[in-house]
Amino acid sequence: MENIINTIVGYIWSDALVYLALGVGIYFTIMTRAVQIRYFKEMIRLLFDKQSSSAGISSFQAFCMALSGRIGVGNIAGVATAIAAGGPGAVFWMIFMGVLGGASAFIESTLAQVYKHKVGDQYRGGSPFYIERGLKLKPFAIIVAIVTCLSYGVLVPGVQANTIADSFNTAFNIPPVVTGIILVVLLGIIIFGGVKRIANFAGKVVPVMAIGYILMMVIVLAFNAQNIPAMFALIFKSAFGMDAVFGGMVGTAISWGVRRAVFSNVAGAGEATFSSAAAEVSHPAKQGLVQSFSIYIDTVLVCTATALMILSTGMYNVVTPEGVTLVDNMPGIEAGTAFTQAAVSTVFNQYGSGFVAIAIFLFAFTCLVAYYYIAETTLVYLDNKLRYPILKHVLKLVFLIVCFTGSVQSIGMMWALGDIGFGSMCYLNFIAILLLSKVALKVLKDYDEQMKLGINPVFDPRKAGVDNADFWIEYSNEHGHKKIALIIVH
């Protein structure tokens, strides 16, 4: 069974997906005139927009919900495996892909806002919603919803749960079964509380965990300051084949850097579209910019923090695809969280392993909460009339069982299942946002024009030439007069 699953992973995560992710990122960066760079200051300003309602959450809460899904074990274990398989050069390509991914994140999150609508008393939206309403391809939308629900409800959660259990077993000698039980109880409290509780939880925990991890990196780097210049030189040389040891790994470095960037920040895979649609904003591009900024936090900051700690302390191994060992600083240690724990332990001694275990718990736990929200939203799409309310309870039960099972299963199997889930969603959503790129670019053009006038952008789909954005027609009718008054004053 495991061999079959690994074969499927090999097909899904082939070079085709690597080149597709790179190509999509480059295409959207060009077409948006590098929106993720030219609106950088605006991203930060929008991040603290407190606009919300009984149906929607604030931009910051949506940002934290998306970030809680982006920041997970990929930022700690995933980065370590990228270095082990692709060498230090993989770090450069991981960051490069992260910057490109900012444009993809803008496009998909903007589309999620454009085609969102109210289901019950909450805003709902995401990739299946914009595929049906934007592309008018309901069968495609149903396929995406099913794949996404299965991925986040069944295939992917085991990676996070397993890594939590493994790190706690290593650091505190807590049996995986015990960790699994505790994890299920805590998750149950959160996910049975609804979207608002999920959003409030993410808004409080995510900033704390991200800041704490960055501070840990700063301390570790301060103790290894003398190694930093050589470390950056090694990363750059390895990325372009100029290093004597890693010169022959350029292709592998690019492949692993892109893979782990995509796995970590999932830009373009559709993950953040569900929380993005729940945000209360006056223009879809605003949430697109906020989610674009989340890629910087995930990949450029958190992933880079992990990579710099590992490389500056020398706590890593590198093995080529052919099985040739190029670096063996940690004999017999498998690539993953152990690299990061060893790096932190060089400064914090016996407390390092425990600190990383706690960081992993916070990262992975918030990730699991975000996963459930996404799975539930796709279920709501599939049952849009809410005819079968029991389905939500079944999903909750299945999700908790998967998390417990993942805690006690082998890590190899869990990563393989997670790769299948993420890879499948990437192919489907990349195709969808490419087909809908004209809509997103129209929205961006409308936003650009209003920003040049110096007013607070309010979206009117009729003016922008966007069809089927029913929510925004009603919104612009209610708020458009305020925009006109501002234009007159201006």
Side-chain angles (χ1 to χ4, degrees):
M1 183 65 180
E2 192 165 348
N3 290 334
I4 295 174
I5 291 174
N6 288 330
T7 301
I8 295 173
V9 171
Y11 283 119
I12 292 177
W13 283 92
S14 64
D15 288 342
L17 182 55
V18 173
Y19 294 133
L20 178 61
L22 270 173
V24 170
I26 292 170
Y27 173 74
F28 284 136
T29 297
I30 294 172
M31 296 304 293
T32 62
R33 293 178 291 123
V35 66
Q36 73 272 41
I37 297 173
R38 62 187 177 92
Y39 271 130
F40 187 78
K41 289 183 180 179
E42 181 70 359
M43 292 176 188
I44 298 174
R45 187 188 71 79
L46 291 171
L47 192 61
F48 299 102
D49 187 347
K50 297 182 179 179
Q51 183 178 349
S52 63
S53 68
S54 59
I57 59 179
S58 70
S59 287
F60 183 73
Q61 287 178 318
F63 165 81
C64 288
M65 284 177 67
L67 201 59
S68 66
R70 298 191 198 280
I71 298 180
V73 300
N75 297 79
I76 297 177
V79 172
T81 57
I83 293 173
V91 177
F92 174 88
W93 295 108
M94 180 183 66
I95 297 171
F96 179 72
M97 186 62 216
V99 175
L100 291 180
S104 301
F106 171 82
I107 295 292
E108 65 178 1
S109 294
T110 297
L111 289 170
Q113 271 287 326
V114 169
Y115 295 108
K116 74 178 181 181
H117 64 281
K118 221 172 180 181
V119 179
D121 60 349
Q122 296 173 349
Y123 292 144
R124 295 283 188 175
S127 50
F129 296 83
Y130 58 64
I131 290 171
E132 178 183 345
R133 300 171 73 85
L135 292 177
K136 301 179 179 65
L137 294 174
K138 189 165 185 177
F140 184 23
I142 291 173
I143 291 171
V144 170
I146 292 172
V147 170
T148 303
C149 192
L150 286 175
S151 294
Y152 287 109
V154 180
L155 297 176
V156 178
V159 176
Q160 310 290 342
N162 189 281
T163 307
I164 290 174
D166 182 62
S167 63
F168 269 55
N169 188 32
T170 300
F172 308 116
N173 203 28
I174 298 176
V177 173
V178 176
T179 301
I181 293 172
I182 295 173
L183 184 62
V184 166
V185 171
L186 294 176
L187 278 171
I189 293 171
I190 300 297
I191 66 176
F192 276 94
V195 174
K196 284 289 185 179
R197 183 178 293 180
I198 291 172
N200 290 332
F201 172 79
K204 290 179 174 64
V205 175
V206 170
V208 174
M209 73 181 190
I211 291 171
Y213 196 71
I214 297 300
L215 287 175
M216 183 176 69
M217 176 203 71
V218 171
I219 293 172
V220 173
L221 290 182
F223 275 84
N224 294 275
Q226 72 280 3
N227 300 329
I228 293 177
M231 176 188 61
F232 277 110
L234 178 63
I235 291 173
F236 187 81
K237 288 180 179 179
S238 300
F240 293 95
M242 296 183 290
D243 182 77
V245 177
F246 305 107
M249 296 186 69
V250 176
T252 306
I254 295 173
S255 178
W256 276 96
V258 172
R259 287 181 188 184
R260 284 307 165 222
V262 171
F263 190 97
S264 175
N265 62 47
V266 289
E271 180 179 291
T273 61
F274 301 93
S275 58
S276 296
E280 183 86 32
V281 291
S282 66
H283 198 288
K286 288 185 174 182
Q287 187 57 208
L289 291 172
V290 168
Q291 294 305 330
S292 184
F293 183 71
S294 72
I295 304 300
Y296 286 106
I297 301 297
D298 174 89
T299 306
V300 180
L301 278 181
V302 181
C303 281
T304 304
T306 300
L308 296 183
M309 285 190 291
I310 290 172
L311 293 175
S312 67
T313 58
M315 294 294 121
Y316 65 98
N317 302 325
V318 178
V319 181
T320 69
E322 295 75 29
V324 178
T325 301
L326 299 180
V327 176
D328 194 22
N329 294 336
M330 300 180 66
I333 301 298
E334 187 176 353
T337 56
F339 284 13
T340 310
Q341 289 177 313
V344 176
S345 294
T346 61
V347 175
F348 294 95
N349 299 320
Q350 69 269 29
Y351 300 106
S353 182
F355 192 99
V356 173
I358 293 171
I360 286 173
F361 172 77
L362 291 174
F363 282 20
F365 186 79
T366 54
C367 219
L368 287 169
V369 172
Y371 288 173
Y372 173 75
Y373 172 75
I374 294 168
E376 182 185 286
T377 302
T378 53
L379 186 65
V380 169
Y381 170 80
L382 293 168
D383 182 27
N384 60 359
K385 301 297 184 184
L386 301 178
R387 296 170 183 165
Y388 307 102
I390 193 174
L391 288 178
K392 281 189 182 181
H393 297 293
V394 172
L395 177 62
K396 288 181 173 71
L397 181 62
V398 170
F399 185 83
L400 293 176
I401 291 173
V402 167
C403 288
F404 176 78
T405 304
S407 300
V408 298
Q409 289 294 318
S410 70
I411 185 62
M413 177 69 79
M414 293 300 101
W415 274 97
L417 291 173
D419 279 340
I420 290 173
F422 277 126
S424 301
M425 290 186 299
C426 282
Y427 280 114
L428 294 171
N429 198 61
F430 279 145
I431 293 170
I433 61 178
L434 282 171
L435 293 174
L436 283 168
S437 59
K438 285 186 179 180
V439 173
L441 293 174
K442 285 180 181 179
V443 176
L444 177 59
K445 181 182 178 182
D446 180 71
Y447 188 80
D448 285 336
E449 290 173 351
Q450 294 188 58
M451 287 293 289
K452 287 178 182 176
L453 290 173
I455 63 176
N456 179 34
V458 175
F459 184 58
D460 185 341
R462 294 161 296 192
K463 178 178 176 296
V466 176
D467 298 326
N468 287 341
D470 299 338
F471 167 83
W472 288 103
I473 292 176
E474 183 179 341
Y475 185 91
S476 63
N477 288 339
E478 293 178 1
H479 298 82
H481 67 281
K482 297 179 183 178
K483 181 177 73 173
I484 295 171
L486 285 170
I487 293 173
I488 294 172
V489 170
H490 181 79

